[in-house]
């Protein structure tokens, strides 16, 4: 249903979001963002022809976009410019990007997000970042590289859900239907979550496949 769990409760969009197309190339676009995983606003305050103008740069860059922006800004490299992250597929990462101010690391993160979107929705990754208390870009990349080691349950938002689904998984529908009215699924689910190191996030429940604690891998 495309729903999400938030701190205020569960939300589903009540109507279908219409698709909007550019007439030039027939591309589907977003309403208020370019659709790129990371969008930067780049300016060059040190240029002799500085007019205070900034240019939008999508990342990952396509073709000669970066060279075109640098030319417009009268700069030889991105290091001569000032830039900020104006949008990101992972909203929390905007702060991490601005903390590092490392263009190559930001581009590496954009490449990862681009590949992620082609494989699956980013909701599982958002849940993992929140469960691991991620607070910087390097940690986010290490967690992303290990994403396949996690199981994600977007329809579960409480220990009771976790316990109920475990009951049906273990005993099958017929026996679970008979046991369910007499079970304390909240306590059962909480005990299993503690044992399996599962965590509740705003997006659902996530755990490692090997039931080890959720934490960022150490740098190589």
């Amino acid at each position: 249903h495309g729903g999400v769990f938030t701190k205020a409760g569960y939300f589903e969009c009540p109507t279908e979001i219409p698709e909007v197309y550019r007439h030039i190339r027939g591309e589907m676009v977003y309403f208020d963002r370019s659709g790129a995983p990371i969008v930067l606003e780049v300016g060059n305050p040190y240029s002799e022809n500085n007019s205070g103008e900034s240019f939008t740069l999508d990342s990952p860059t396509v073709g000669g976009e970066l060279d075109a922006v640098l030319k417009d800004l009268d700069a030889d490299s991105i290091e001569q410019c000032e830039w900020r992250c104006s949008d990101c597929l992972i909203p929390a990462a905007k702060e991490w990007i601005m903390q590092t101010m490392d263009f190559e690391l930001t581009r590496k993160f954009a490449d990862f997000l681009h590949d992620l979107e082609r494989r699956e929705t980013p909701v599982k990754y958002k849940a993992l970042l929140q469960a691991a208390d991620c607070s910087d870009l390097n940690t986010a990349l290490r967690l992303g590289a290990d994403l396949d080691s996690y199981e994600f349950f977007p329809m579960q938002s409480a220990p009771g859900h976790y316990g109920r689904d475990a009951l049906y998984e273990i005993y099958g529908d017929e026996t679970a239907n008979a046991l369910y009215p007499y079970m304390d699924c909240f306590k059962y689910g909480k005990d299993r979550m503690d044992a399996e190191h599962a965590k509740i996030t705003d997006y659902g429940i996530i755990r490692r496949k090997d039931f080890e604690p959720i934490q960022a891998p150490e740098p190589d």
Side-chain angles (χ1 to χ4, degrees):
H1 294 285
V4 293
F5 293 106
T6 73
K7 292 179 181 177
Y10 178 76
F11 172 80
E12 285 182 7
C13 190
T15 59
E16 219 176 281
I17 298 176
E19 295 179 343
V20 177
Y21 291 87
R22 285 196 183 106
H23 294 295
I24 300 174
R25 290 180 293 176
E27 295 177 331
M28 189 171 74
V29 297
Y30 294 78
F31 296 105
D32 57 355
R33 62 187 304 262
S34 71
I38 295 176
V39 181
L40 304 176
E41 291 292 331
V42 185
N44 183 9
Y46 310 106
S47 171
E48 295 180 359
N49 302 319
N50 177 32
S51 60
E53 188 176 8
S54 62
F55 292 86
T56 298
L57 179 65
D58 291 340
S59 189
T61 56
V62 178
E65 285 182 335
L66 177 57
D67 291 337
V69 168
L70 292 176
K71 182 178 179 181
D72 289 336
L73 291 171
D74 192 26
D76 295 325
S77 68
I78 192 68
E79 285 74 19
Q80 294 179 346
C81 303
E82 290 185 350
W83 53 270
R84 70 179 186 88
C85 178
S86 60
D87 197 15
C88 184
L89 181 66
I90 309 296
K94 289 171 64 176
E95 182 180 347
W96 310 335
I97 291 170
M98 297 308 297
Q99 285 175 349
T100 59
M101 289 303 293
D102 185 327
F103 185 76
E104 286 305 317
L105 185 61
T106 299
R107 182 152 53 182
K108 184 178 179 181
F109 187 54
D111 288 336
F112 165 75
L113 293 179
H114 181 260
D115 291 340
L116 176 67
E117 273 195 303
R118 298 177 71 177
R119 291 185 283 112
E120 58 182 294
T121 65
V123 180
K124 177 182 177 181
Y125 185 47
K126 290 181 180 180
L128 175 58
L129 293 174
Q130 187 179 101
D133 295 322
C134 182
S135 60
D136 65 87
L137 208 53
N138 277 304
T139 301
L141 281 166
R142 292 201 302 274
L143 286 166
D146 201 34
L147 189 60
D148 291 339
S149 299
Y150 295 84
E151 291 181 304
F152 178 53
F153 307 95
M155 301 308 295
Q156 298 180 3
S157 61
H161 299 157
Y162 197 83
R164 176 200 61 202
D165 288 0
L167 180 69
Y168 278 83
E169 182 182 343
I170 294 170
Y171 295 105
D173 291 349
E174 185 177 350
T175 303
N177 284 334
L179 292 173
Y180 182 69
Y182 308 100
M183 285 284 296
D184 184 349
C185 284
F186 182 90
K187 186 177 186 305
Y188 177 57
K190 189 175 185 307
D191 288 346
R192 283 189 67 95
M193 287 184 67
D194 290 342
E196 297 171 3
H197 296 103
K199 285 193 175 184
I200 297 174
T201 73
D202 291 340
Y203 310 96
I205 292 178
I206 192 168
R207 74 183 181 202
R208 284 188 60 89
K209 292 178 180 178
D210 58 8
F211 304 135
E212 289 295 316
I214 294 177
Q215 57 188 13
E218 292 297 321
D220 292 338

